[in-house]
Amino acid sequence: MHDYDLIVIGGGAAGFYGAIQTAILQPGAKILILEKSNKVLAKVKVSGGGRCNVTQHCFDPLQLARHYPRGEKPLKSLFKNYHAKNVVEWFEEKKVALKAEEDGRMFPVTDSSQTIIDCFLNETARYKIKIELERAVENIKLENDGFGIYTSQGYIYWGKKVLIAIGGNPNLQFYQWIQTLNIRIVPPIPSLFTFNDSQKVFKDLMGVAVPNAEVRIATTKFLQTGPLLITHWGLSGPAVIKLSAWAAEYLHDVNYQFTVLVSWIGPAREDDIREQLKNYKALHGKQKIYNYPLFDLPSRLWQLLCTLAEIEDQKIWAELPQKNLNKLLEGIIRSAFQIKGKTTFKEEFVTCGGVDLADIDINTMESKKIKNLFFAGEVLNIDGETGGYNFQAAWTTSYTAAVQIAKRA
């Protein structure tokens, strides 16, 4: 039996940040991180293509909170105390400079996730935080005004306080030992994924992208705009992945079989686009339709849209019948994709669901049912869009928990 002031379960982003912040706020605290696998910070390592998308360059707490399909309301409150600007400043204090890219994603200037990992490992070493690998928690019991943590291979630990930061998983079994504490779990399902096109009409355009598409799920209000990428399996890119987050529960309920409508030119009024096509036809009657893409569309995409509108490759604008113009218009602003299934966006894979926020005091991240038991990160029913938002939720919730843990010293 090993005694600790704080035992952190989970050696990922939220676990490390919570342990380090507690050590800073409670000097001399004896802290242990338990990780079930043989390596720590695995998700940090692969995030952002190995560059680690630390946070989002959005320093307005209310605006920042709007990017979370689950958890927006509680995060509004938490971000007022600790948000992206605080995280950037903390890393800079540790000599880790961050940079913002055009889309707001923030990375270490080294473009290497190892920079973030090294920072965390240096801090845990500085504060003598112990890390033990291959310690899967199998049971947790209230014992002697603290917690008995029972792990694989018979290892037992005792802690005054516990921070659970095990991340998310779409398998309910993953949370079973938490449920034994009478803490409710919102059934977990995937979020942040790409769409598999069952008809594959566009598959030869693999790699073609547009900068500002509008992607809508037919017969619903779910839509997103942004960059869109055609892949060999269907549709990807930020617009699709954001849409998968906001519509995660709906898409799970329809078994990932649905129709997507794509406007390749972003939000557009049908009458306006029809008028533009008519005007272009009147002014460029002798021009071959195939050869001159409109609306800055990639030429291969434009030519496929013409083909789908039954326009021959030698046809000139003056010869274009109205019915074909209407079909071209439909293809530009309402290309229909019959989606069957999803593909996990592995680097940024996130779970919708987890520990029910109704069981958590959101101002402290403490269980409402069990004193000195705290939660942080993706294990909670909080998830955001792609772009650094999920890491930001991890930093904020683990910092909030650390403040309360240190106050109880």
Side-chain angles (χ1 to χ4, degrees):
M1 182 79 82
H2 308 279
D3 295 2
Y4 292 90
D5 295 304
L6 171 66
I7 296 176
V8 177
I9 303 174
F16 265 77
Y17 206 66
I20 293 164
Q21 294 290 359
T22 301
I24 292 169
L25 295 166
Q26 186 183 339
K30 196 176 174 189
I31 300 172
L32 168 69
I33 296 173
L34 295 174
E35 167 56 39
K36 71 174 182 178
S37 72
N38 62 0
K39 59 185 174 184
V40 294
L41 300 164
K43 198 164 183 179
V44 170
K45 181 72 173 172
V46 299
S47 159
R51 296 194 297 146
C52 189
N53 184 184
V54 175
T55 187
Q56 173 70 206
H57 191 271
C58 178
F59 294 170
D60 177 341
L62 297 181
Q63 186 65 35
L64 186 61
R66 290 185 187 128
H67 294 272
Y68 294 83
R70 267 74 47 188
E72 176 181 356
K73 190 175 178 184
L75 286 175
K76 275 182 187 174
S77 168
L78 292 181
F79 285 157
K80 286 176 184 174
N81 294 320
Y82 199 82
H83 62 97
K85 189 169 189 287
N86 303 102
V87 171
V88 172
E89 290 171 350
W90 187 83
F91 277 107
E92 285 179 346
E93 284 171 15
K94 309 301 173 192
K95 304 292 187 279
V96 177
L98 304 181
K99 61 176 179 177
E101 301 199 339
E102 272 188 39
D103 59 5
R105 291 181 303 159
M106 297 196 74
F107 298 91
V109 295
T110 58
D111 279 328
S112 172
S113 59
Q114 194 61 43
T115 303
I116 304 301
I117 293 169
D118 290 345
C119 171
F120 284 157
L121 293 177
N122 289 339
E123 292 302 301
T124 52
R126 180 209 300 247
Y127 291 104
K128 297 181 171 54
I129 296 168
K130 189 167 185 184
I131 301 166
E132 295 209 8
L133 303 177
E134 298 181 326
R135 297 288 185 269
V137 172
E138 294 178 343
N139 201 0
I140 181 168
K141 296 179 182 176
L142 301 175
E143 294 177 358
N144 307 321
D145 293 325
F147 300 89
I149 311 293
Y150 295 78
T151 71
S152 54
Q153 300 164 322
Y155 290 94
I156 305 170
Y157 305 86
W158 184 88
K160 292 178 185 173
K161 303 179 192 72
V162 169
L163 173 62
I164 297 177
I166 57 172
N169 191 297
N171 184 351
L172 189 59
Q173 192 79 10
F174 179 78
Y175 305 86
Q176 189 174 29
W177 60 270
I178 297 176
Q179 287 179 296
T180 62
L181 298 168
N182 197 30
I183 290 168
R184 290 172 293 183
I185 301 294
V186 176
I189 58 174
S191 183
L192 300 185
F193 47 83
T194 60
F195 298 164
N196 295 353
D197 174 20
S198 63
Q199 296 173 317
K200 302 284 195 294
V201 173
F202 286 75
K203 74 178 190 313
D204 290 341
L205 300 188
M206 177 182 72
V208 170
V210 295
N212 187 39
E214 180 183 81
V215 187
R216 179 190 300 271
I217 297 173
T219 73
T220 78
K221 293 180 179 178
F222 294 113
L223 72 94
Q224 287 290 330
T225 59
L228 176 69
L229 173 68
I230 299 170
T231 68
H232 67 276
W233 65 82
L235 298 173
S236 185
V240 166
I241 294 161
K242 278 197 289 184
L243 183 58
S244 78
W246 286 96
E249 292 160 315
Y250 170 81
L251 296 179
H252 176 264
D253 290 345
V254 298
N255 198 29
Y256 305 103
Q257 299 194 30
F258 55 100
T259 300
V260 159
L261 303 175
V262 173
S263 169
W264 302 100
I265 59 175
R269 291 184 69 249
E270 183 173 334
D271 291 346
D272 292 344
I273 304 306
R274 179 178 280 107
E275 196 63 30
Q276 288 183 52
L277 290 173
K278 283 182 177 177
N279 289 341
Y280 196 89
K281 177 181 176 180
L283 293 170
H284 303 88
K286 294 183 179 179
Q287 194 179 86
K288 285 184 182 176
I289 301 167
Y290 254 67
N291 293 357
Y292 297 92
L294 301 187
F295 309 108
D296 293 322
L297 290 173
S299 58
R300 289 168 61 203
L301 174 59
W302 174 257
Q303 289 167 6
L304 179 57
L305 293 175
C306 289
T307 300
L308 295 174
E310 300 174 356
I311 301 169
E312 297 90 354
D313 58 4
Q314 298 301 312
K315 182 79 76 179
I316 61 173
W317 279 102
E319 299 170 344
L320 183 66
Q322 185 62 39
K323 70 171 185 176
N324 299 93
L325 186 144
N326 289 340
K327 283 186 178 180
L328 180 60
L329 167 66
E330 189 74 10
I332 293 167
I333 64 170
R334 268 193 303 274
S335 281
F337 291 80
Q338 304 307 316
I339 304 301
K340 288 188 178 175
K342 66 189 186 317
T343 296
T344 301
F345 187 50
K346 289 187 175 63
E347 289 177 4
E348 301 285 355
F349 177 73
V350 165
T351 302
C352 160
V355 172
D356 194 331
L357 297 183
D359 285 355
I360 303 296
D361 179 343
I362 205 66
N363 296 310
T364 63
M365 306 315 300
E366 186 176 23
S367 165
K368 288 180 179 177
K369 299 174 179 177
I370 303 173
K371 190 177 179 183
N372 292 325
L373 180 66
F374 298 82
F375 293 84
E378 202 191 323
V379 69
L380 297 158
N381 185 26
I382 292 175
D383 64 282
E385 299 170 358
T386 180
Y389 297 103
N390 288 293
F391 274 143
Q392 182 56 54
W395 314 137
T396 295
T397 53
S398 57
Y399 174 82
T400 303
V403 169
Q404 195 62 29
I405 291 165
K407 277 184 182 175
R408 303 270 183 88

